[in-house]
């Protein structure tokens, strides 16, 4: 997957209009997660970045849980679009 593959999914107009929507927030967190993951592959002992990655993963997980409870159709569309594994439920 290329560096800018997620950027092409959302246009600039959509960014300005929907910057507070749950889908957009999940999109931003996913792009940050992928950047940090590639960084941590090179720098395995960067513990502060590992902590930041865990925080972002938790935030994205909470947003996805919220979206799956409120709007299941939008949730499944977003999961497919961003190629995210469906989280395990407790």
């Amino acid at each position: 997957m290329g560096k800018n593959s997620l950027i092409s999914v959302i246009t600039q107009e959509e960014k300005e209009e929907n910057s507070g929507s749950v889908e957009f927030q999940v999109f931003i967190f996913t792009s940050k997660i992928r950047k940090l993951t590639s960084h941590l592959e090179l720098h395995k002992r960067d513990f502060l970045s590992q902590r930041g990655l865990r925080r972002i993963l938790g935030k994205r997980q909470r947003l996805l849980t919220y979206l799956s409870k409120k709007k299941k159709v939008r949730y499944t569309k977003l999961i497919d679009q961003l190629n995210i594994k469906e989280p395990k439920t407790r």
Side-chain angles (χ1 to χ4, degrees):
M1 183 169 276
K3 276 187 174 180
N4 297 329
S5 62
L6 288 178
I7 294 172
S8 64
V9 173
I10 295 180
T11 62
Q12 187 64 30
E13 296 84 27
E14 289 176 341
K15 286 180 186 177
E16 293 171 2
E17 291 176 8
N18 302 325
S19 62
S21 70
V22 176
E23 290 93 347
F24 185 77
Q25 291 178 40
V26 170
F27 165 77
I28 292 297
F29 287 143
T30 302
S31 63
K32 285 182 182 181
I33 287 167
R34 291 186 177 155
K35 268 189 219 174
L36 277 173
T37 303
S38 65
H39 169 77
L40 287 171
E41 287 175 357
L42 294 174
H43 309 281
K44 296 183 187 315
R45 294 178 57 101
D46 189 354
F47 299 116
L48 290 177
S49 292
Q50 288 178 9
R51 180 177 184 264
L53 177 63
R54 285 192 299 269
R55 288 183 69 195
I56 293 171
L57 283 169
K59 286 180 183 180
R60 184 180 76 171
Q61 182 60 45
R62 287 191 297 275
L63 284 171
L64 286 172
T65 303
Y66 167 79
L67 192 61
S68 70
K69 289 179 183 176
K70 297 293 181 182
K71 305 218 165 52
K72 191 69 171 175
V73 174
R74 287 170 47 187
Y75 168 75
T76 54
K77 181 181 174 186
L78 183 67
I79 291 289
D80 292 337
Q81 186 179 15
L82 294 178
N83 197 17
I84 301 173
K85 293 180 187 176
E86 193 157 344
K88 297 176 183 176
T89 56
R90 292 183 180 184

